[in-house]
Amino acid sequence: HDRDDIMGELKTLRLGLKYWRTRRAMNIRQLANASSVSSATIVKIERDHYVPRPDVTNRLAKALNVTVEELIVDDNDSNCAA
């Protein structure tokens, strides 16, 4: 990956995580409990452009009942339409 690809993936994971967490009516603590991922890590992903390890992404997706592909949404994806 070059830097632009990594930044693009970060942006879409951050948007997807917040989108699905909100859609599931979960706060950060609830998602942390459901996924066994620390709330600090979730905050970093949503706010600070932190790239989690694949196992962390998998646990977040499972806790939100979505696939990893759904979690890493495209900016133009219809899933993000309000």
Side-chain angles (χ1 to χ4, degrees), residues 11-82:
K11 181 179 180 187
T12 55
L13 176 59
R14 177 175 60 90
L15 291 172
L17 181 58
K18 191 162 193 172
Y19 170 79
W20 285 111
R21 182 175 61 76
T22 303
R23 183 146 181 183
R24 299 292 187 244
M26 296 175 87
N27 63 35
I28 289 172
R29 192 184 74 218
Q30 290 168 325
L31 179 57
N33 289 338
S35 64
S36 299
V37 174
S38 74
S39 50
T41 296
I42 294 168
V43 168
K44 284 181 183 178
I45 295 167
E46 288 190 0
R47 297 187 185 159
D48 298 335
H49 306 289
Y50 170 77
V51 181
R53 295 185 320 265
D55 63 301
V56 171
T57 306
N58 286 330
R59 290 200 311 259
L60 291 167
K62 187 173 182 180
L64 291 165
N65 197 31
V66 296
T67 65
V68 170
E69 290 77 16
E70 288 172 312
L71 188 60
I72 303 174
V73 297
D74 186 320
D75 283 342
N76 299 316
D77 195 317
S78 59
N79 284 341
C80 286

